[in-house]
Amino acid sequence: MTFVKNVIGSLGKECTILDAGCGEGVLVEHFLNQGYDIKGLDLNYESQYVHRGSVLNMPFEDNLFDAVLLLDVFEHIAYSDQPIALSEIYRVLKSNGCLVATIPNLAHLNSRFKMFFTGELDRTDIEENHIGERPLKENITLIKQAGFLIDQIKGITLTVPFIYRQVICRRPAWFRWLHDLMEPLAIPSLSMINIFVCRKH
């Protein structure tokens, strides 16, 4: 999340931000307290910080925001609806506006290893929760087809077989140092999660 906060910080406090699928709006409140002009949107939650609404049909006018955050949301959207969500984000962004998205990679290193030896994937959550989880390459294709230019993809969490699930995940507090030690090696194609920094074409 530090990386995302740094990206938003680099845009400046004069920018307008939408956190799409923001849940209870924790990040919205954080940026509001920092002096940013930010709105939250969520289908299942509403508060003084968060508007109730769907990323598939956002209640905002065209070309309104300088930046849209889509954090841990895309994988919860059905395959057929993902292009609609990206189209809506594209619509509400200003020209050259920024999309920052965190999206799991179904083809992370341990998932490939597990598929090869057992015929099963190592998903980041159960299939019922992550109904739209895809490999990195498919996510790149969808984002580009929606008209975005991808400026940067940063990988997070290298899932080294055995070490990640059998050691780090079982005792995360003890082995945080090991996770952090491997983090610089988390190239996007092998990482469990990727952060996309994109611009409206």
Side-chain angles (χ1 to χ4, degrees):
M1 197 55 65
T2 299
F3 180 86
V4 172
K5 289 179 179 178
N6 289 341
V7 171
I8 296 303
S10 70
L11 298 175
K13 293 186 178 180
E14 68 280 0
C15 71
T16 54
I17 306 168
L18 172 66
D19 189 355
C22 66
E24 297 181 3
V26 174
L27 201 59
V28 175
E29 186 176 359
H30 167 82
F31 280 117
L32 278 172
N33 291 336
Q34 298 294 318
Y36 285 87
D37 181 3
I38 183 169
K39 292 179 173 62
L41 179 73
D42 196 87
L43 185 62
N44 303 307
Y45 192 83
E46 188 173 13
S47 71
Q48 60 179 324
Y49 307 119
V50 181
H51 298 269
R52 188 181 296 275
S54 170
V55 296
L56 304 179
N57 185 21
M58 294 196 278
F60 303 112
E61 63 188 67
D62 297 356
N63 308 307
L64 183 61
F65 298 102
D66 294 294
V68 173
L69 308 179
L70 190 72
L71 309 177
D72 304 326
V73 174
F74 201 60
E75 64 274 16
H76 296 279
I77 302 172
Y79 289 144
S80 59
D81 288 335
Q82 288 173 340
I84 298 171
L86 290 172
S87 177
E88 274 292 276
I89 291 169
Y90 193 91
R91 178 184 66 79
V92 301
L93 272 174
K94 296 178 182 178
S95 178
N96 209 43
C98 178
L99 165 63
V100 182
T102 56
I103 307 175
N105 171 25
L106 187 55
H108 61 87
L109 181 57
N110 195 58
S111 191
R112 296 183 190 196
F113 183 85
K114 188 174 180 181
M115 172 60 78
F116 183 81
F117 285 101
T118 70
E120 298 178 352
L121 292 165
D122 180 6
R123 296 181 177 274
T124 54
D125 200 347
I126 61 173
E127 191 173 355
E128 289 78 8
N129 289 341
H130 284 186
I131 58 175
E133 193 170 359
R134 297 175 180 267
L136 171 63
K137 189 172 181 179
E138 291 182 12
N139 289 319
I140 290 173
T141 298
L142 281 174
I143 290 169
K144 287 182 175 179
Q145 286 176 344
F148 290 98
L149 298 174
I150 299 175
D151 288 335
Q152 184 179 4
I153 304 174
K154 176 178 174 53
I156 297 176
T157 305
L158 182 65
T159 58
V160 175
F162 179 76
I163 292 176
Y164 181 72
R165 288 297 187 195
Q166 302 301 318
V167 178
I168 295 174
C169 287
R170 290 192 176 183
R171 297 182 183 268
W174 288 15
F175 291 104
R176 178 73 194 191
W177 64 269
L178 182 56
H179 174 278
D180 293 347
L181 186 67
M182 295 189 298
E183 200 66 1
L185 304 176
I187 62 173
S189 62
L190 299 180
S191 298
M192 177 173 276
I193 300 171
N194 286 296
I195 305 175
F196 291 79
V197 181
C198 314
R199 283 182 294 116
K200 181 175 178 177
H201 199 297

